[in-house]
Amino acid sequence: MPVYLPPISRRRFLKRSLAASALMLAGGCATPKSTADGEGWALLSDIHIAADANLIHGNVNMTRNLRLVTEEVVARPEPVSGVLISGDLAYKSGEVADYAAVLGLLRPMREHGLPIHLALGNHDQREHFWTTLPDDKSTLVNPPARQTAIVRTRHANWFVLDSLMVTGASPGILGGVQRAWLARALDQNTDKPALIVVHHNPALPGAMGSPLERSAQSMGILRPLDSLLGAAASLEDTTELLEILRPRRHVKAWFFGHTHRWGVTHDESGLCLVNFPPVAYLFDEGRPNGWVHAMLKPGGARLELRCLDHAHKDHGQVVNLVWRA
Ligand SMILES: [Zn+2]
């Protein structure tokens, strides 16, 4: 069963408010809201929600930021089919009270009819997450239990993975069991482009002048990727994961957060690498924080950066991803 928070219909919500016993959440996936052009998704990462709604970190009130993003997602003129949050849901150590706050803050989007899919990051705590969302637990058959999901959409399948290794420690790992599951799942789902979502960034040489850096420049986008892709605390089994992704040509992109740095590039196999901006605080001043509106289409995706600061120079930046052949 995929991990997700199903939409809550207003009618059902009202009913439930009146009769607490009639607690029933909508099951299954919401009907994709597609336009002729594609299917819209709201992509968020690193929301870092604390139980204390007033907490400020790095000059940012994380609760306020998520509320602002929620307002934008809900008010978006084009329809959005769903929401994906790529880890670091909790502030620092994944407390149960943090997840209760996350649930409360995500409620308006669910009441707007949006399903929400969640991945875990290194500031999450798996057991606490499952305690707070007992019905949404999704694990692999074999231990160690991880939080994974396949989300099928009209134009692509999202594969949401779990790279949480140790809560509070920066590096991440998928592990052999999860990688074996992924390889099988990818082979069983070749009908549509596969898009991978992992909290952690790939450990790839991305220094200035590297092939990755040049390819980013040739795409006409974004800033130097040295810190983005060469970070020490990245996905420890990057090489093993890429050995799974690269030869399976229906895998088109790896989406990640963790670095709190917006960026897009691709590797030598043509696999798109998309680094989400954080909804929460930044590590480097001047970079954008906010979210990404993705329009999935048959041959790629149109990404639009939505900065929390609408005056930011990158606000509204559009990157058109073209899937490799
Ligand atoms: Zn983070």
Side-chain angles (χ1 to χ4, degrees):
M1 183 182 112
V3 166
Y4 93 122
L5 300 173
I8 304 169
S9 82
R10 284 177 197 284
R11 201 161 52 118
R12 187 175 290 115
F13 173 61
L14 285 174
K15 244 183 172 172
R16 190 170 50 183
S17 305
L18 293 170
S21 60
L23 193 141
M24 224 178 78
L25 293 178
C29 280
T31 312
K33 293 166 186 165
S34 305
T35 66
D37 285 341
E39 186 185 340
W41 278 77
L43 308 179
L44 283 58
S45 191
D46 297 272
I47 59 177
H48 288 280
I49 295 302
D52 176 5
N54 296 314
L55 189 74
I56 288 179
H57 183 106
N59 295 321
V60 163
N61 176 275
M62 289 73 78
T63 297
R64 173 184 170 273
N65 278 20
L66 182 55
R67 283 203 178 113
L68 288 172
V69 166
T70 298
E71 282 169 20
E72 266 203 27
V73 170
V74 166
R76 185 92 192 170
E78 312 95 357
V80 172
S81 288
V83 181
L84 222 152
I85 307 181
S86 151
D88 279 0
L89 310 172
Y91 171 53
K92 212 169 190 173
S93 48
E95 304 302 325
V96 168
D98 298 338
Y99 293 118
V102 169
L103 268 180
L105 289 167
L106 296 182
R107 194 170 179 105
M109 288 198 280
R110 298 174 67 193
E111 287 173 7
H112 192 68
L114 299 178
I116 303 176
H117 303 270
L118 304 168
L120 296 179
N122 53 300
H123 288 290
D124 289 304
Q125 213 277 5
R126 209 172 279 115
E127 294 302 327
H128 290 169
F129 174 79
W130 284 337
T131 301
T132 322
L133 298 108
D135 296 331
D136 299 301
K137 179 173 171 177
S138 161
T139 64
L140 303 179
V141 176
N142 302 313
R146 296 285 187 120
Q147 182 75 43
T148 59
I150 302 173
V151 183
R152 293 183 170 83
T153 77
R154 188 174 146 202
H155 295 300
N157 294 323
W158 296 106
F159 289 77
V160 184
L161 307 182
D162 179 348
S163 59
L164 167 58
M165 185 166 70
V166 178
T167 300
S170 202
I173 196 164
L174 296 174
V177 174
Q178 186 174 195
R179 291 198 312 269
W181 168 81
L182 174 67
R184 280 196 307 276
L186 287 172
D187 290 341
Q188 289 163 1
N189 292 276
T190 55
D191 56 320
K192 288 174 191 169
L195 310 177
I196 309 297
V197 179
V198 187
H199 176 71
H200 283 81
N201 54 306
L204 290 173
M208 290 288 285
S210 73
L212 274 177
E213 174 64 21
R214 286 197 299 276
S215 75
Q217 284 169 355
S218 73
M219 288 165 84
I221 46 173
L222 309 185
R223 56 199 92 251
L225 292 165
D226 49 342
S227 50
L228 190 155
L229 293 172
S234 45
L235 189 76
E236 294 204 339
D237 45 359
T238 293
T239 303
E240 292 86 345
L241 176 59
L242 287 173
E243 280 169 6
I244 293 169
L245 305 185
R246 281 174 170 158
R248 290 171 170 83
R249 301 298 294 186
H250 71 295
V251 181
K252 306 301 186 186
W254 173 348
F255 293 81
F256 54 95
H258 188 55
T259 68
H260 292 212
R261 296 179 180 111
W262 161 244
V264 183
T265 186
H266 58 78
D267 76 351
E268 64 262 32
S269 78
L271 185 73
C272 295
L273 302 170
V274 179
N275 196 166
F276 294 128
V279 171
Y281 48 86
L282 293 155
F283 297 141
D284 323 272
E285 232 170 285
R287 290 182 187 265
N289 55 353
W291 62 289
V292 172
H293 178 271
M295 185 64 81
L296 303 182
K297 302 175 182 190
R302 176 192 186 274
L303 305 184
E304 180 186 340
L305 176 67
R306 304 293 307 173
C307 298
L308 277 150
D309 174 10
H310 284 194
H312 192 283
K313 64 178 173 50
D314 293 338
H315 179 60
Q317 182 180 54
V318 171
V319 178
N320 283 303
L321 302 180
V322 179
W323 301 150
R324 62 183 183 161

